[in-house]
Amino acid sequence: MTERIEGHGGELALAALRAYGVREMFTLSGGHVFPLYDAAHRTDFPVYDVRHEQTAVFAAEAVTKLQRRPGLAVLTAGPGVTNGISGLTSAFFNASPVLVLGGRAPAFRWGSGSLQEMDHLPLVRPVTKHAETVFSTEDIPRAVAAALDAALTPHRGPVFLDFPLEVVFSVGEADQPTGAAPAPLEADPDEVARAAELVAQAERPVIVAGSDVWSGDAVDALRAAAEALGVPVFTNGMGRGALPPEHPLAFAKARRAALSGADVVVVVGTPLDFRLSFGDFGDAKVVHVVDAPSQRAGHVETAASPAGDLRLILTALADHVGDRVDHTDWIAQLRVKEDAAKARDAEEMAAETDPIRPARIYGELRRVLARDAITIGDGGDFVSYAGRYLEPAQPGTWLDPGPYGCLGTGMGYAMGARITHPDRQVCVLMGDGAAGFSLMDVESLVRQKLPVVMVVGNNGIWGLEKHPMRAMYGYDIAADLQPELRYDQVVAAMGGAGETVTKAADLGAALERAFDAGVPYLVNVITDPADSYPRSSTLA
Ligand SMILES: Cc1ncc(C[n+]2csc(CCOP(=O)(O)OP(=O)(O)O)c2C)c(N)n1
Ligand SMILES: [Mg+2]
């Protein structure tokens, strides 16, 4: 029998959210959403508050990424919602099932000029899967369920609801939603068979696996498919660590050789976007395995593109019967390139330069980071280096901003990570420029006893912009920051701690102190502004 729930709008919303496994709220105070706080307060539902709404949405997104369940941000009407738009957009690009609940000026006097009276929907519609204003209290649980069903159905993504003031403050009664997970979408079996045949018959196949492999809980199936068909695997986004770095089919450095030498490239659970040369792999045939038909690339002619539940598709690839070409030589060839690149990286990570180069910071970090540490990248060049030198050992441990490339995720992602994994190391790698977007939220972390380690690559510039601008114009403007700024003192002033490091030899001990500190701790590393991340294209 369907259970009935009753209470004010906040209580109805929270009861529905609980059914979907939502376990906390991220917010910044505003009167329009008080009933949601009241519902949380009465039921001991954890509420984490922040100093900028973008942090609330990024924190909710980190929870979705790490725990593979919906995350919740509650934003007050008007500026609360508009401050959350970059977070929502990042979640949209990352297919993260974030629910934003917005306050809204009263409906009964709409048009009379209430405080913060604006219609949020035209703003959020392009960056959400579902956006709705709920006009009656009784309708709230249904609307929450509809929004979360949309958010959790692959291809996943954020959703938005707002509640006019009188709707959320009034009392009502409704059916309790069940919160059932969406049924898996089965791909066309012929398309799957075609993909399997292409891989099995390939001479030099490569798999590139991305975030949806993790969010679709298909990591084991990926490994089984790669092992059954003997295919080298590269990863990006949340796919990183899907195969442990020591696995014979796990590759990271030989990507260029692999993608230019392959005859079949299988891209699983990630778009054929700028991170993958827009799907242009020379003469190689492209197999694009996606979690929903909407994700098939329109700009690339693929040889096969199965769309559906990734675990089912990858399991079918693993179970493929029939001949398959032996790939031992191809794998060995790539392994030589991989090992050579690793040796070069190892040298750079050990280099004793003055000023310090970012590579050395990562060399030291690799010594202190545990296999299950959560690492978060927020910055330009400094984070490109993180992607290159850090090798996540487990899936679901690496958080980058994703293809929207929004600076400012740092403290929000850190908050979501610390709440998800109270006992693990959480380490945020920040450019000094990126730090400016969210550093005030260290105060939120300190106050709510959420210790994390921040490592700032402090080159005194917006490096990823300054170097390309100089290369293009011969000069640069609007690309300088205050050199050697004491970001560690900023953190200390807010109740955390930290230190500045200028010598490579001092890095190791500083990082150890940081992880032992028990409060938010910032290691401010003065790095070489002349150093820039080598890339083939100058624009990022
Ligand atoms: C919100 C936002 N604003 C601007 C940019 C453009 N942008 C990309 S990288 C970058 C420079 C980052 O500088 P910093 O964090 O100091 O890292 P560095 O490149 O110096 O290592 C900028 C401004 C962006 N990606 N996101
Ligand atoms: Mg910088």
Side-chain angles (χ1 to χ4, degrees), residues 186-377:
E186 278 192 48
D188 173 2
D190 292 342
E191 195 73 3
V192 177
R194 195 160 36 247
E197 195 61 31
L198 278 160
V199 187
Q201 294 307 316
E203 301 277 333
R204 298 175 309 283
V206 171
I207 292 176
V208 181
S211 298
D212 297 336
V213 171
W214 163 253
S215 55
D217 199 6
V219 168
D220 292 344
L222 168 75
R223 186 171 173 158
E227 287 174 354
L229 294 163
V231 185
V233 176
F234 293 79
T235 52
N236 72 14
M238 294 297 289
R240 299 190 73 201
L243 265 59
E246 56 281 357
H247 190 286
L249 293 171
F251 288 85
K253 318 276 166 202
R255 211 168 90 149
R256 192 175 300 227
L259 293 179
S260 58
D263 59 348
V264 173
V265 176
V266 187
V267 175
V268 191
T270 190
L272 298 172
D273 62 12
F274 67 94
R275 294 170 299 175
L276 287 172
S277 345
F278 302 99
D280 181 357
F281 309 120
D283 295 333
K285 291 188 179 134
V286 181
V287 176
H288 195 202
V289 182
V290 292
D291 65 1
S294 62
Q295 294 312 295
R296 289 194 175 116
H299 60 285
V300 178
E301 206 161 307
T302 54
S305 189
D309 185 90
L310 295 183
R311 192 165 17 162
L312 297 179
I313 297 172
L314 289 165
T315 304
L317 294 189
D319 293 345
H320 177 71
V321 284
D323 295 344
R324 68 166 181 84
V325 176
D326 182 69
H327 306 133
T328 316
D329 289 350
W330 167 237
I331 294 165
Q333 204 182 313
L334 292 180
R335 185 57 65 195
V336 170
K337 295 242 178 343
E338 180 85 9
D339 289 346
K342 274 195 174 151
R344 280 196 300 277
D345 281 3
E347 261 172 50
E348 284 161 26
M349 282 191 281
E352 186 90 30
T353 59
D354 183 13
I356 298 170
R357 292 222 187 101
R360 177 64 187 265
I361 302 174
Y362 293 112
E364 299 293 334
L365 261 173
R366 285 172 66 118
R367 276 188 248 277
V368 296
L369 287 176
R371 279 179 80 83
D372 64 357
I374 306 292
T375 45
I376 296 164

Side-chain angles (χ1 to χ4, degrees), residues 101-163:
L101 294 181
R104 187 179 170 100
F108 76 90
R109 58 156 57 108
W110 195 264
S112 318
S114 295
L115 171 72
Q116 296 164 344
E117 181 189 277
M118 76 164 281
D119 184 11
H120 308 123
L121 297 199
L123 275 179
V124 301
R125 252 196 210 108
V127 292
T128 52
K129 290 188 70 184
H130 177 108
E132 183 184 346
T133 298
V134 187
F135 285 103
S136 92
T137 311
E138 290 77 18
D139 201 26
I140 287 177
R142 184 227 35 97
V144 167
L148 287 178
D149 287 342
L152 293 168
T153 300
H155 193 60
R156 298 169 189 83
V159 290
F160 176 88
L161 297 174
D162 61 7
F163 304 140

Side-chain angles (χ1 to χ4, degrees), residues 380-382 431-434 457-464 481 527:
D381 281 346
F382 189 58
D432 52 339
N458 188 347
N459 54 6
I461 55 174
W462 299 99
L464 190 149
L481 299 163
T527 59

